[in-house]
Structure formats: C-alpha cells, structure tokens
Amino acid sequence: MEVYSDFSKVYDMFMENIPYKKWSKRIIQILNGHGIYDGIVTDLGCGTGCLTQLLAEAGYDMIGIDYSMDMLEQAMEKRCESGYDSILYLNQDMREFELYGTVRAIVCTCDSLNYLLEEDEVLQVFKLVNNYLDPDGIFIFDITTKHKYLDIDNCVIAENQEDASFIWENTYFEEEKINEYELTLFIKDNEDGKYVKSVEIHQQRAYEIEELVNLLDKAGLKTLKIEDAYTGKPYREMSERILITASKKESEV
C-alpha cells in the first residue's frame, strides 16, 4: 500500500474530472436519509481531503484518515487555505485505524478498499468500522468493479499539463483479480524548471458483490443498499463503480 508519494504532488491536478461534489451530494442524501445531519463522520482513505472538506462544509465534524503522509500533507495545506481548521487528519493504516470514540458515520471512497488485496484485510477494516460506529450509524463505501478493470485492461492513458505529465499503463490479471498500473510521472521542479521522472506501481483488487456482502455479514454489518455510484440507480452487471450502504445488525444495536 506504499503508494501516492510523488503522485500526491499532482493528484488534484490530474483528478479534476472526479465528480467529488456529485459524490458528496449523494453521500449527504444517504446520511440525511438515516437521520444523520451533523456529528462526527470519518473519511477512510481520505487522500488529499477533497471529499472530507465538502462534508465539513455540509456541517459534519470530519476526521480524515489516510496511510499516505504525502497525501495528508496536501489535505492539510487545503485545510489551512479553506479555513476548516476543525478537520482532524490522522496518518493511519485503515486496517489498523483507531478513533477516540464512536462516530455517526464512516465513508470510504475513490477505490480505497480496492487497494486491499486480501479478503482478510477487507474483513479487518469492516470489523473496525463496526467497532467505531454509533449504534445507529452507517457505513458508506464505493468499490471499482471487475467490469471497469476489464474495460481498461492493456490501456495506456497519458496527460500533459504545464507543470506535470503522466503515462498510466493498466494491466488486469483476471485469475488473480488484480489490476496493476504503472504510473510514470514527469513533475516540474520549481527551483530549476527541469522535469523530474518517477515511477509508481499501484495494485488494486476486484471484489464481487457477493464477497463484500459476505464480509460485511461476518463483521457484524448489514447491507442496506447497493447502487451504481455514478447514477444512483440499482447496480447492474456492467456497473463500473458501486456504492454500498451498511449498518450494524439489529442484534448488535
């Protein structure tokens, strides 16, 4: 999981097309639908804090957790610029995260769970989520599907901007359910104007919906809804990203 080092410096630049506002609006709708209009919400795998800040703007007391200190540094810079000083950022591994108490909700978006390559790791995260949720709290997370990985298999994506460029090469190993992409970055050095090359290897795993529902159940969580993350409609076999809402089982509330 040791990724997003140099990429963190240009992550927001190259991810301008991610519909954070649309995603946050849907998450807020789900939260409100469960009577959660305020209180503490944790953003697991918060990255540079784009979604974290939008939820803070909506009135939630936000805790952002990420494994990459480089990404968190970008998030904290954003926090200073925005004035949302109340956001608490923690440098923790989601497989071992610790909170000071329970929270109203936990969200986890932008492929964060796909970075866990073993079912046991996902189960451990789900158990921790269950442990730190309020009795009536909810868990909202997204996952990139096998269909998306198959669609981009052997694809090369490249983008060139004034201060940075990248080449993104994807390979999906269907038997292992692992998507690997090699990210080659060229980032302009502000001091001498030269471009510095770096390479990062990212791996993500595709999970079947049945696997996730089973792992939620093992962790003491109940699946409430599964939808297409882009449309909000019931998921289909061809959905590229799904959004799942879960809660504690009634026997545990």
Side-chain angles (χ1 to χ4, degrees):
M1 292 179 63
E2 191 65 45
V3 292
Y4 290 114
S5 50
D6 288 328
F7 192 28
S8 66
K9 302 172 186 175
V10 292
Y11 182 84
D12 288 336
M13 180 192 304
F14 288 122
M15 297 296 150
E16 289 179 333
N17 62 329
I18 293 182
Y20 288 114
K21 289 186 178 180
K22 181 178 179 180
W23 288 357
S24 67
K25 182 179 180 180
R26 178 58 188 142
I27 288 171
I28 292 166
Q29 287 176 339
I30 296 172
L31 292 171
N32 291 172
H34 289 269
I36 302 173
Y37 298 95
D38 53 22
I40 303 174
V41 173
T42 296
D43 185 3
L44 280 181
C46 65
T48 62
C50 292
L51 182 66
T52 320
Q53 189 163 304
L54 287 170
L55 292 176
E57 290 174 6
Y60 296 100
D61 298 319
M62 295 303 301
I63 299 173
I65 294 176
D66 204 275
Y67 187 69
S68 169
M69 194 62 226
D70 295 294
M71 294 288 272
L72 285 179
E73 286 175 355
Q74 300 297 319
M76 288 186 282
E77 282 186 20
K78 234 182 270 183
R79 178 183 63 186
C80 292
E81 293 169 359
S82 69
Y84 283 94
D85 297 332
S86 61
I87 300 174
L88 173 64
Y89 285 114
L90 301 175
N91 182 211
Q92 295 184 351
D93 186 329
M94 71 167 66
R95 296 166 294 188
E96 302 173 343
F97 77 91
E98 296 181 3
L99 298 175
Y100 305 109
T102 59
V103 297
R104 301 293 311 277
I106 295 176
V107 301
C108 186
T109 62
C110 295
D111 304 345
S112 294
L113 284 172
N114 289 103
Y115 276 99
L116 304 180
L117 305 184
E118 301 292 338
E119 284 190 14
D120 287 347
E121 295 178 312
V122 177
L123 178 59
Q124 178 61 21
V125 172
F126 288 172
K127 286 181 177 178
L128 289 170
V129 166
N130 188 15
N131 182 58
Y132 287 112
L133 273 182
D134 283 350
D136 58 349
I138 60 169
F139 177 36
I140 307 168
F141 67 95
D142 71 13
I143 204 94
T144 293
T145 67
K146 177 177 69 175
H147 175 71
K148 172 65 174 181
Y149 293 135
L150 286 170
D151 190 47
I152 62 174
D153 183 27
N154 295 319
C155 285
V156 177
I157 304 167
E159 185 171 337
N160 181 39
Q161 296 200 24
E162 183 177 350
D163 294 326
S165 302
F166 75 73
I167 303 171
W168 190 309
E169 301 173 82
N170 290 276
T171 305
Y172 182 60
F173 301 95
E174 190 166 4
E175 185 175 344
E176 296 84 358
K177 300 180 182 178
I178 299 296
N179 185 71
E180 181 175 288
Y181 55 90
E182 181 175 304
L183 183 62
T184 305
L185 297 160
F186 301 89
I187 302 175
K188 186 177 182 179
D189 188 306
N190 291 330
E191 293 185 4
D192 59 19
K194 295 181 180 180
Y195 287 80
V196 179
K197 176 184 176 181
S198 64
V199 178
E200 296 183 10
I201 304 295
H202 295 237
Q203 288 187 321
Q204 297 180 342
R205 175 173 169 176
Y207 287 94
E208 300 290 346
I209 290 176
E210 295 76 10
E211 291 177 301
L212 294 168
V213 170
N214 182 53
L215 291 171
L216 286 167
D217 181 68
K218 286 183 177 180
L221 295 167
K222 176 184 178 181
T223 303
L224 300 177
K225 189 172 184 179
I226 306 175
E227 61 189 76
D228 186 294
Y230 292 112
T231 66
K233 297 179 180 179
Y235 79 92
R236 302 175 299 119
E237 184 180 345
M238 303 296 282
S239 293
E240 296 187 343
R241 185 186 300 271
I242 59 175
L243 189 69
I244 298 178
T245 304
S247 68
K248 286 176 175 285
K249 292 182 180 178
E250 290 181 7
S251 60
E252 300 198 359
V253 174

